[in-house]
PDB file of all heavy atoms in Angstrom:
ATOM      1  N   PHE A1480     142.700  95.006  71.634  1.00  0.00           N
ATOM      2  CA  PHE A1480     142.091  93.790  71.088  1.00  0.00           C
ATOM      3  C   PHE A1480     140.577  93.967  70.973  1.00  0.00           C
ATOM      4  O   PHE A1480     139.976  93.656  69.937  1.00  0.00           O
ATOM      5  CB  PHE A1480     142.437  92.609  71.995  1.00  0.00           C
ATOM      6  CG  PHE A1480     141.877  91.288  71.534  1.00  0.00           C
ATOM      7  CD1 PHE A1480     142.342  90.676  70.376  1.00  0.00           C
ATOM      8  CD2 PHE A1480     140.903  90.635  72.270  1.00  0.00           C
ATOM      9  CE1 PHE A1480     141.832  89.453  69.953  1.00  0.00           C
ATOM     10  CE2 PHE A1480     140.390  89.414  71.869  1.00  0.00           C
ATOM     11  CZ  PHE A1480     140.857  88.812  70.700  1.00  0.00           C
ATOM     12  N   ILE A1484     138.290  94.039  67.519  1.00  0.00           N
ATOM     13  CA  ILE A1484     137.084  93.227  67.302  1.00  0.00           C
ATOM     14  C   ILE A1484     135.886  94.130  67.034  1.00  0.00           C
ATOM     15  O   ILE A1484     135.095  93.904  66.096  1.00  0.00           O
ATOM     16  CB  ILE A1484     136.803  92.336  68.526  1.00  0.00           C
ATOM     17  CG1 ILE A1484     137.889  91.278  68.710  1.00  0.00           C
ATOM     18  CG2 ILE A1484     135.415  91.703  68.432  1.00  0.00           C
ATOM     19  CD1 ILE A1484     137.846  90.133  67.753  1.00  0.00           C
ATOM     20  N   LYS A1494     129.491  90.739  74.118  1.00  0.00           N
ATOM     21  CA  LYS A1494     129.868  89.447  74.690  1.00  0.00           C
ATOM     22  C   LYS A1494     131.349  89.404  75.075  1.00  0.00           C
ATOM     23  O   LYS A1494     131.705  88.855  76.121  1.00  0.00           O
ATOM     24  CB  LYS A1494     129.548  88.332  73.703  1.00  0.00           C
ATOM     25  CG  LYS A1494     128.049  88.095  73.511  1.00  0.00           C
ATOM     26  CD  LYS A1494     127.792  86.943  72.565  1.00  0.00           C
ATOM     27  CE  LYS A1494     126.306  86.682  72.399  1.00  0.00           C
ATOM     28  NZ  LYS A1494     126.033  85.556  71.461  1.00  0.00           N
ATOM     29  N   LEU A1495     132.206  89.967  74.240  1.00  0.00           N
ATOM     30  CA  LEU A1495     133.632  89.943  74.545  1.00  0.00           C
ATOM     31  C   LEU A1495     133.943  90.838  75.738  1.00  0.00           C
ATOM     32  O   LEU A1495     134.744  90.467  76.604  1.00  0.00           O
ATOM     33  CB  LEU A1495     134.450  90.379  73.327  1.00  0.00           C
ATOM     34  CG  LEU A1495     135.977  90.392  73.536  1.00  0.00           C
ATOM     35  CD1 LEU A1495     136.480  89.041  74.013  1.00  0.00           C
ATOM     36  CD2 LEU A1495     136.680  90.811  72.243  1.00  0.00           C
ATOM     37  N   SER A1496     133.320  92.005  75.805  1.00  0.00           N
ATOM     38  CA  SER A1496     133.527  92.888  76.956  1.00  0.00           C
ATOM     39  C   SER A1496     133.147  92.161  78.239  1.00  0.00           C
ATOM     40  O   SER A1496     133.895  92.163  79.228  1.00  0.00           O
ATOM     41  CB  SER A1496     132.681  94.158  76.809  1.00  0.00           C
ATOM     42  OG  SER A1496     133.058  94.913  75.686  1.00  0.00           O
ATOM     43  N   ARG A1497     131.982  91.517  78.222  1.00  0.00           N
ATOM     44  CA  ARG A1497     131.502  90.811  79.413  1.00  0.00           C
ATOM     45  C   ARG A1497     132.455  89.681  79.806  1.00  0.00           C
ATOM     46  O   ARG A1497     132.754  89.481  80.986  1.00  0.00           O
ATOM     47  CB  ARG A1497     130.104  90.269  79.169  1.00  0.00           C
ATOM     48  CG  ARG A1497     129.510  89.560  80.386  1.00  0.00           C
ATOM     49  CD  ARG A1497     128.110  89.062  80.116  1.00  0.00           C
ATOM     50  NE  ARG A1497     127.148  90.159  80.051  1.00  0.00           N
ATOM     51  CZ  ARG A1497     126.478  90.505  78.957  1.00  0.00           C
ATOM     52  NH1 ARG A1497     126.676  89.860  77.820  1.00  0.00           N
ATOM     53  NH2 ARG A1497     125.623  91.520  78.988  1.00  0.00           N
ATOM     54  N   GLU A1498     132.943  88.957  78.835  1.00  0.00           N
ATOM     55  CA  GLU A1498     133.840  87.836  79.137  1.00  0.00           C
ATOM     56  C   GLU A1498     135.166  88.327  79.718  1.00  0.00           C
ATOM     57  O   GLU A1498     135.730  87.692  80.617  1.00  0.00           O
ATOM     58  CB  GLU A1498     134.096  87.005  77.875  1.00  0.00           C
ATOM     59  CG  GLU A1498     134.986  85.796  78.100  1.00  0.00           C
ATOM     60  CD  GLU A1498     134.473  84.841  79.163  1.00  0.00           C
ATOM     61  OE1 GLU A1498     133.244  84.721  79.328  1.00  0.00           O
ATOM     62  OE2 GLU A1498     135.318  84.198  79.840  1.00  0.00           O
ATOM     63  N   LEU A1499     135.657  89.458  79.236  1.00  0.00           N
ATOM     64  CA  LEU A1499     136.892  90.021  79.811  1.00  0.00           C
ATOM     65  C   LEU A1499     136.670  90.439  81.259  1.00  0.00           C
ATOM     66  O   LEU A1499     137.534  90.231  82.118  1.00  0.00           O
ATOM     67  CB  LEU A1499     137.370  91.199  78.957  1.00  0.00           C
ATOM     68  CG  LEU A1499     137.914  90.814  77.576  1.00  0.00           C
ATOM     69  CD1 LEU A1499     138.112  92.058  76.708  1.00  0.00           C
ATOM     70  CD2 LEU A1499     139.231  90.054  77.705  1.00  0.00           C
ATOM     71  N   TRP A1500     135.501  91.033  81.549  1.00  0.00           N
ATOM     72  CA  TRP A1500     135.189  91.352  82.951  1.00  0.00           C
ATOM     73  C   TRP A1500     135.064  90.087  83.789  1.00  0.00           C
ATOM     74  O   TRP A1500     135.518  90.040  84.927  1.00  0.00           O
ATOM     75  CB  TRP A1500     133.888  92.156  83.030  1.00  0.00           C
ATOM     76  CG  TRP A1500     134.060  93.622  82.930  1.00  0.00           C
ATOM     77  CD1 TRP A1500     134.883  94.410  83.701  1.00  0.00           C
ATOM     78  CD2 TRP A1500     133.403  94.509  82.022  1.00  0.00           C
ATOM     79  NE1 TRP A1500     134.769  95.729  83.321  1.00  0.00           N
ATOM     80  CE2 TRP A1500     133.863  95.818  82.292  1.00  0.00           C
ATOM     81  CE3 TRP A1500     132.461  94.323  81.025  1.00  0.00           C
ATOM     82  CZ2 TRP A1500     133.416  96.931  81.596  1.00  0.00           C
ATOM     83  CZ3 TRP A1500     132.015  95.423  80.328  1.00  0.00           C
ATOM     84  CH2 TRP A1500     132.479  96.723  80.604  1.00  0.00           C
ATOM     85  N   MET A1501     134.439  89.048  83.228  1.00  0.00           N
ATOM     86  CA  MET A1501     134.306  87.799  83.962  1.00  0.00           C
ATOM     87  C   MET A1501     135.674  87.233  84.328  1.00  0.00           C
ATOM     88  O   MET A1501     135.874  86.731  85.440  1.00  0.00           O
ATOM     89  CB  MET A1501     133.521  86.781  83.124  1.00  0.00           C
ATOM     90  CG  MET A1501     132.034  87.049  83.018  1.00  0.00           C
ATOM     91  SD  MET A1501     131.150  86.794  84.584  1.00  0.00           S
ATOM     92  CE  MET A1501     131.325  85.031  84.800  1.00  0.00           C
ATOM     93  N   ARG A1502     136.595  87.326  83.415  1.00  0.00           N
ATOM     94  CA  ARG A1502     137.939  86.807  83.694  1.00  0.00           C
ATOM     95  C   ARG A1502     138.615  87.615  84.802  1.00  0.00           C
ATOM     96  O   ARG A1502     139.143  87.046  85.769  1.00  0.00           O
ATOM     97  CB  ARG A1502     138.802  86.866  82.429  1.00  0.00           C
ATOM     98  CG  ARG A1502     138.439  85.847  81.355  1.00  0.00           C
ATOM     99  CD  ARG A1502     139.434  85.894  80.199  1.00  0.00           C
ATOM    100  NE  ARG A1502     140.778  85.508  80.633  1.00  0.00           N
ATOM    101  CZ  ARG A1502     141.213  84.268  80.724  1.00  0.00           C
ATOM    102  NH1 ARG A1502     140.419  83.250  80.417  1.00  0.00           N
ATOM    103  NH2 ARG A1502     142.456  84.005  81.113  1.00  0.00           N
ATOM    104  N   ALA A1503     138.603  88.923  84.674  1.00  0.00           N
ATOM    105  CA  ALA A1503     139.350  89.771  85.605  1.00  0.00           C
ATOM    106  C   ALA A1503     138.652  89.950  86.933  1.00  0.00           C
ATOM    107  O   ALA A1503     139.299  89.981  87.989  1.00  0.00           O
ATOM    108  CB  ALA A1503     139.610  91.140  84.969  1.00  0.00           C
ATOM    109  N   ARG A1506     136.466  85.559  87.982  1.00  0.00           N
ATOM    110  CA  ARG A1506     137.223  84.314  88.105  1.00  0.00           C
ATOM    111  C   ARG A1506     138.691  84.537  88.452  1.00  0.00           C
ATOM    112  O   ARG A1506     139.452  83.572  88.549  1.00  0.00           O
ATOM    113  CB  ARG A1506     137.101  83.510  86.809  1.00  0.00           C
ATOM    114  CG  ARG A1506     135.658  83.155  86.445  1.00  0.00           C
ATOM    115  CD  ARG A1506     135.596  82.098  85.348  1.00  0.00           C
ATOM    116  NE  ARG A1506     136.173  82.566  84.101  1.00  0.00           N
ATOM    117  CZ  ARG A1506     135.458  83.089  83.101  1.00  0.00           C
ATOM    118  NH1 ARG A1506     134.135  83.232  83.227  1.00  0.00           N
ATOM    119  NH2 ARG A1506     136.042  83.480  81.988  1.00  0.00           N
ATOM    120  N   GLU A1508     141.140  85.703  86.665  1.00  0.00           N
ATOM    121  CA  GLU A1508     141.995  85.228  85.582  1.00  0.00           C
ATOM    122  C   GLU A1508     142.578  86.430  84.837  1.00  0.00           C
ATOM    123  O   GLU A1508     142.080  87.544  84.944  1.00  0.00           O
ATOM    124  CB  GLU A1508     141.183  84.354  84.617  1.00  0.00           C
ATOM    125  CG  GLU A1508     140.628  83.100  85.268  1.00  0.00           C
ATOM    126  CD  GLU A1508     139.661  82.342  84.385  1.00  0.00           C
ATOM    127  OE1 GLU A1508     139.168  82.928  83.389  1.00  0.00           O
ATOM    128  OE2 GLU A1508     139.372  81.176  84.702  1.00  0.00           O
ATOM    129  N   GLY A1509     143.605  86.186  84.068  1.00  0.00           N
ATOM    130  CA  GLY A1509     144.290  87.272  83.393  1.00  0.00           C
ATOM    131  C   GLY A1509     143.566  87.785  82.162  1.00  0.00           C
ATOM    132  O   GLY A1509     142.780  87.075  81.539  1.00  0.00           O
ATOM    133  N   ILE A1510     143.877  89.021  81.817  1.00  0.00           N
ATOM    134  CA  ILE A1510     143.387  89.617  80.563  1.00  0.00           C
ATOM    135  C   ILE A1510     144.546  90.329  79.865  1.00  0.00           C
ATOM    136  O   ILE A1510     144.338  91.290  79.124  1.00  0.00           O
ATOM    137  CB  ILE A1510     142.238  90.626  80.807  1.00  0.00           C
ATOM    138  CG1 ILE A1510     142.666  91.725  81.790  1.00  0.00           C
ATOM    139  CG2 ILE A1510     140.985  89.917  81.303  1.00  0.00           C
ATOM    140  CD1 ILE A1510     141.694  92.890  81.864  1.00  0.00           C
ATOM    141  N   PHE A1511     145.758  89.816  80.079  1.00  0.00           N
ATOM    142  CA  PHE A1511     146.927  90.604  79.700  1.00  0.00           C
ATOM    143  C   PHE A1511     147.747  90.041  78.534  1.00  0.00           C
ATOM    144  O   PHE A1511     148.430  90.789  77.856  1.00  0.00           O
ATOM    145  CB  PHE A1511     147.837  90.795  80.923  1.00  0.00           C
ATOM    146  CG  PHE A1511     147.119  91.403  82.092  1.00  0.00           C
ATOM    147  CD1 PHE A1511     146.792  90.641  83.203  1.00  0.00           C
ATOM    148  CD2 PHE A1511     146.724  92.734  82.057  1.00  0.00           C
ATOM    149  CE1 PHE A1511     146.110  91.201  84.275  1.00  0.00           C
ATOM    150  CE2 PHE A1511     146.040  93.307  83.121  1.00  0.00           C
ATOM    151  CZ  PHE A1511     145.724  92.530  84.228  1.00  0.00           C
ATOM    152  N   ASP A1512     147.699  88.726  78.301  1.00  0.00           N
ATOM    153  CA  ASP A1512     148.518  88.192  77.206  1.00  0.00           C
ATOM    154  C   ASP A1512     147.633  87.573  76.129  1.00  0.00           C
ATOM    155  O   ASP A1512     146.406  87.525  76.244  1.00  0.00           O
ATOM    156  CB  ASP A1512     149.551  87.178  77.720  1.00  0.00           C
ATOM    157  CG  ASP A1512     148.909  85.975  78.414  1.00  0.00           C
ATOM    158  OD1 ASP A1512     147.760  85.626  78.077  1.00  0.00           O
ATOM    159  OD2 ASP A1512     149.564  85.394  79.295  1.00  0.00           O
ATOM    160  N   LYS A1513     148.264  87.089  75.085  1.00  0.00           N
ATOM    161  CA  LYS A1513     147.514  86.581  73.935  1.00  0.00           C
ATOM    162  C   LYS A1513     146.626  85.410  74.328  1.00  0.00           C
ATOM    163  O   LYS A1513     145.460  85.341  73.920  1.00  0.00           O
ATOM    164  CB  LYS A1513     148.463  86.159  72.813  1.00  0.00           C
ATOM    165  CG  LYS A1513     147.717  85.623  71.590  1.00  0.00           C
ATOM    166  CD  LYS A1513     148.653  85.239  70.459  1.00  0.00           C
ATOM    167  CE  LYS A1513     147.846  84.720  69.270  1.00  0.00           C
ATOM    168  NZ  LYS A1513     148.727  84.318  68.133  1.00  0.00           N
ATOM    169  N   ASN A1514     147.147  84.482  75.114  1.00  0.00           N
ATOM    170  CA  ASN A1514     146.359  83.324  75.499  1.00  0.00           C
ATOM    171  C   ASN A1514     145.091  83.739  76.257  1.00  0.00           C
ATOM    172  O   ASN A1514     144.004  83.198  76.014  1.00  0.00           O
ATOM    173  CB  ASN A1514     147.192  82.374  76.357  1.00  0.00           C
ATOM    174  CG  ASN A1514     146.425  81.109  76.714  1.00  0.00           C
ATOM    175  OD1 ASN A1514     146.047  80.321  75.843  1.00  0.00           O
ATOM    176  ND2 ASN A1514     146.189  80.919  78.011  1.00  0.00           N
ATOM    177  N   ASP A1515     145.246  84.715  77.173  1.00  0.00           N
ATOM    178  CA  ASP A1515     144.093  85.236  77.910  1.00  0.00           C
ATOM    179  C   ASP A1515     143.023  85.757  76.956  1.00  0.00           C
ATOM    180  O   ASP A1515     141.828  85.449  77.091  1.00  0.00           O
ATOM    181  CB  ASP A1515     144.507  86.385  78.841  1.00  0.00           C
ATOM    182  CG  ASP A1515     145.431  85.946  79.955  1.00  0.00           C
ATOM    183  OD1 ASP A1515     145.421  84.755  80.309  1.00  0.00           O
ATOM    184  OD2 ASP A1515     146.166  86.813  80.486  1.00  0.00           O
ATOM    185  N   LEU A1516     143.468  86.561  76.008  1.00  0.00           N
ATOM    186  CA  LEU A1516     142.520  87.237  75.119  1.00  0.00           C
ATOM    187  C   LEU A1516     141.879  86.284  74.118  1.00  0.00           C
ATOM    188  O   LEU A1516     140.681  86.386  73.829  1.00  0.00           O
ATOM    189  CB  LEU A1516     143.227  88.385  74.396  1.00  0.00           C
ATOM    190  CG  LEU A1516     143.806  89.461  75.327  1.00  0.00           C
ATOM    191  CD1 LEU A1516     144.574  90.507  74.524  1.00  0.00           C
ATOM    192  CD2 LEU A1516     142.698  90.130  76.132  1.00  0.00           C
ATOM    193  N   MET A1517     142.664  85.340  73.614  1.00  0.00           N
ATOM    194  CA  MET A1517     142.101  84.371  72.681  1.00  0.00           C
ATOM    195  C   MET A1517     141.092  83.462  73.384  1.00  0.00           C
ATOM    196  O   MET A1517     140.056  83.105  72.811  1.00  0.00           O
ATOM    197  CB  MET A1517     143.230  83.548  72.057  1.00  0.00           C
ATOM    198  CG  MET A1517     144.187  84.363  71.195  1.00  0.00           C
ATOM    199  SD  MET A1517     143.398  85.131  69.755  1.00  0.00           S
ATOM    200  CE  MET A1517     143.159  83.690  68.720  1.00  0.00           C
ATOM    201  N   THR A1518     141.386  83.094  74.631  1.00  0.00           N
ATOM    202  CA  THR A1518     140.455  82.272  75.402  1.00  0.00           C
ATOM    203  C   THR A1518     139.158  83.031  75.669  1.00  0.00           C
ATOM    204  O   THR A1518     138.060  82.480  75.551  1.00  0.00           O
ATOM    205  CB  THR A1518     141.087  81.835  76.738  1.00  0.00           C
ATOM    206  OG1 THR A1518     142.283  81.094  76.473  1.00  0.00           O
ATOM    207  CG2 THR A1518     140.127  80.974  77.542  1.00  0.00           C
ATOM    208  N   ALA A1519     139.297  84.307  76.031  1.00  0.00           N
ATOM    209  CA  ALA A1519     138.108  85.140  76.263  1.00  0.00           C
ATOM    210  C   ALA A1519     137.267  85.247  75.000  1.00  0.00           C
ATOM    211  O   ALA A1519     136.035  85.152  75.052  1.00  0.00           O
ATOM    212  CB  ALA A1519     138.528  86.526  76.747  1.00  0.00           C
ATOM    213  N   ALA A1520     137.928  85.446  73.878  1.00  0.00           N
ATOM    214  CA  ALA A1520     137.205  85.571  72.614  1.00  0.00           C
ATOM    215  C   ALA A1520     136.451  84.286  72.280  1.00  0.00           C
ATOM    216  O   ALA A1520     135.307  84.317  71.830  1.00  0.00           O
ATOM    217  CB  ALA A1520     138.168  85.938  71.488  1.00  0.00           C
ATOM    218  N   LYS A1521     137.094  83.146  72.501  1.00  0.00           N
ATOM    219  CA  LYS A1521     136.434  81.869  72.232  1.00  0.00           C
ATOM    220  C   LYS A1521     135.201  81.699  73.121  1.00  0.00           C
ATOM    221  O   LYS A1521     134.145  81.263  72.661  1.00  0.00           O
ATOM    222  CB  LYS A1521     137.414  80.716  72.452  1.00  0.00           C
ATOM    223  CG  LYS A1521     136.831  79.334  72.146  1.00  0.00           C
ATOM    224  CD  LYS A1521     137.860  78.249  72.337  1.00  0.00           C
ATOM    225  CE  LYS A1521     138.902  78.244  71.245  1.00  0.00           C
ATOM    226  NZ  LYS A1521     138.324  77.844  69.933  1.00  0.00           N
ATOM    227  N   MET A1522     135.341  82.061  74.401  1.00  0.00           N
ATOM    228  CA  MET A1522     134.209  81.974  75.322  1.00  0.00           C
ATOM    229  C   MET A1522     133.070  82.901  74.899  1.00  0.00           C
ATOM    230  O   MET A1522     131.901  82.633  75.171  1.00  0.00           O
ATOM    231  CB  MET A1522     134.661  82.316  76.738  1.00  0.00           C
ATOM    232  CG  MET A1522     135.564  81.280  77.380  1.00  0.00           C
ATOM    233  SD  MET A1522     134.706  79.729  77.744  1.00  0.00           S
ATOM    234  CE  MET A1522     133.609  80.255  79.067  1.00  0.00           C
ATOM    235  N   ALA A1523     133.425  83.989  74.220  1.00  0.00           N
ATOM    236  CA  ALA A1523     132.420  84.953  73.753  1.00  0.00           C
ATOM    237  C   ALA A1523     131.840  84.570  72.401  1.00  0.00           C
ATOM    238  O   ALA A1523     131.002  85.300  71.859  1.00  0.00           O
ATOM    239  CB  ALA A1523     133.031  86.355  73.683  1.00  0.00           C
ATOM    240  N   GLY A1524     132.296  83.452  71.852  1.00  0.00           N
ATOM    241  CA  GLY A1524     131.753  82.982  70.589  1.00  0.00           C
ATOM    242  C   GLY A1524     132.394  83.567  69.351  1.00  0.00           C
ATOM    243  O   GLY A1524     131.862  83.433  68.247  1.00  0.00           O
ATOM    244  N   VAL A1525     133.556  84.199  69.529  1.00  0.00           N
ATOM    245  CA  VAL A1525     134.243  84.805  68.388  1.00  0.00           C
ATOM    246  C   VAL A1525     135.015  83.723  67.635  1.00  0.00           C
ATOM    247  O   VAL A1525     135.744  82.924  68.250  1.00  0.00           O
ATOM    248  CB  VAL A1525     135.205  85.914  68.848  1.00  0.00           C
ATOM    249  CG1 VAL A1525     135.872  86.571  67.642  1.00  0.00           C
ATOM    250  CG2 VAL A1525     134.460  86.953  69.677  1.00  0.00           C
ATOM    251  N   ASP A1526     134.882  83.709  66.330  1.00  0.00           N
ATOM    252  CA  ASP A1526     135.598  82.747  65.491  1.00  0.00           C
ATOM    253  C   ASP A1526     137.108  82.926  65.636  1.00  0.00           C
ATOM    254  O   ASP A1526     137.610  84.050  65.751  1.00  0.00           O
ATOM    255  CB  ASP A1526     135.188  82.955  64.030  1.00  0.00           C
ATOM    256  CG  ASP A1526     135.827  81.944  63.102  1.00  0.00           C
ATOM    257  OD1 ASP A1526     135.280  80.844  62.959  1.00  0.00           O
ATOM    258  OD2 ASP A1526     136.900  82.263  62.543  1.00  0.00           O
ATOM    259  N   ASP A1527     137.845  81.811  65.629  1.00  0.00           N
ATOM    260  CA  ASP A1527     139.299  81.855  65.820  1.00  0.00           C
ATOM    261  C   ASP A1527     139.997  82.705  64.768  1.00  0.00           C
ATOM    262  O   ASP A1527     140.981  83.394  65.068  1.00  0.00           O
ATOM    263  CB  ASP A1527     139.884  80.443  65.786  1.00  0.00           C
ATOM    264  CG  ASP A1527     139.522  79.629  67.021  1.00  0.00           C
ATOM    265  OD1 ASP A1527     139.049  80.233  68.006  1.00  0.00           O
ATOM    266  OD2 ASP A1527     139.723  78.391  67.007  1.00  0.00           O
ATOM    267  N   ILE A1529     138.807  85.322  63.232  1.00  0.00           N
ATOM    268  CA  ILE A1529     138.573  86.725  63.576  1.00  0.00           C
ATOM    269  C   ILE A1529     139.456  87.133  64.755  1.00  0.00           C
ATOM    270  O   ILE A1529     140.051  88.216  64.758  1.00  0.00           O
ATOM    271  CB  ILE A1529     137.088  86.950  63.919  1.00  0.00           C
ATOM    272  CG1 ILE A1529     136.214  86.726  62.677  1.00  0.00           C
ATOM    273  CG2 ILE A1529     136.860  88.349  64.493  1.00  0.00           C
ATOM    274  CD1 ILE A1529     134.727  86.788  62.957  1.00  0.00           C
ATOM    275  N   SER A1530     139.568  86.267  65.749  1.00  0.00           N
ATOM    276  CA  SER A1530     140.380  86.574  66.931  1.00  0.00           C
ATOM    277  C   SER A1530     141.844  86.733  66.566  1.00  0.00           C
ATOM    278  O   SER A1530     142.516  87.660  67.027  1.00  0.00           O
ATOM    279  CB  SER A1530     140.231  85.457  67.978  1.00  0.00           C
ATOM    280  OG  SER A1530     138.897  85.334  68.393  1.00  0.00           O
ATOM    281  N   GLU A1531     142.353  85.818  65.759  1.00  0.00           N
ATOM    282  CA  GLU A1531     143.759  85.898  65.350  1.00  0.00           C
ATOM    283  C   GLU A1531     144.021  87.177  64.569  1.00  0.00           C
ATOM    284  O   GLU A1531     145.033  87.854  64.767  1.00  0.00           O
ATOM    285  CB  GLU A1531     144.138  84.684  64.504  1.00  0.00           C
ATOM    286  CG  GLU A1531     144.279  83.383  65.274  1.00  0.00           C
ATOM    287  CD  GLU A1531     145.555  83.326  66.115  1.00  0.00           C
ATOM    288  OE1 GLU A1531     146.377  84.258  66.033  1.00  0.00           O
ATOM    289  OE2 GLU A1531     145.711  82.342  66.864  1.00  0.00           O
ATOM    290  N   PHE A1534     143.994  90.119  67.036  1.00  0.00           N
ATOM    291  CA  PHE A1534     145.190  90.205  67.884  1.00  0.00           C
ATOM    292  C   PHE A1534     146.402  90.681  67.079  1.00  0.00           C
ATOM    293  O   PHE A1534     147.251  91.409  67.594  1.00  0.00           O
ATOM    294  CB  PHE A1534     145.504  88.862  68.545  1.00  0.00           C
ATOM    295  CG  PHE A1534     146.570  88.980  69.601  1.00  0.00           C
ATOM    296  CD1 PHE A1534     146.245  89.425  70.878  1.00  0.00           C
ATOM    297  CD2 PHE A1534     147.899  88.708  69.304  1.00  0.00           C
ATOM    298  CE1 PHE A1534     147.235  89.575  71.846  1.00  0.00           C
ATOM    299  CE2 PHE A1534     148.893  88.861  70.259  1.00  0.00           C
ATOM    300  CZ  PHE A1534     148.554  89.296  71.540  1.00  0.00           C
TER     301      PHE A1534
END
Side-chain angles (χ1 to χ4, degrees):
F1480 181 68
I1484 293 285
K1494 290 182 179 180
L1495 180 55
S1496 297
R1497 182 179 288 115
E1498 182 57 32
L1499 290 169
W1500 271 306
M1501 286 291 293
R1502 288 185 64 84
R1506 301 193 297 264
E1508 297 171 344
I1510 56 169
F1511 305 107
D1512 60 28
K1513 180 178 180 180
N1514 183 63
D1515 294 336
L1516 300 176
M1517 295 298 287
T1518 301
K1521 182 178 287 292
M1522 290 292 291
V1525 182
D1526 183 85
D1527 289 346
I1529 294 174
S1530 299
E1531 287 286 355
F1534 190 81

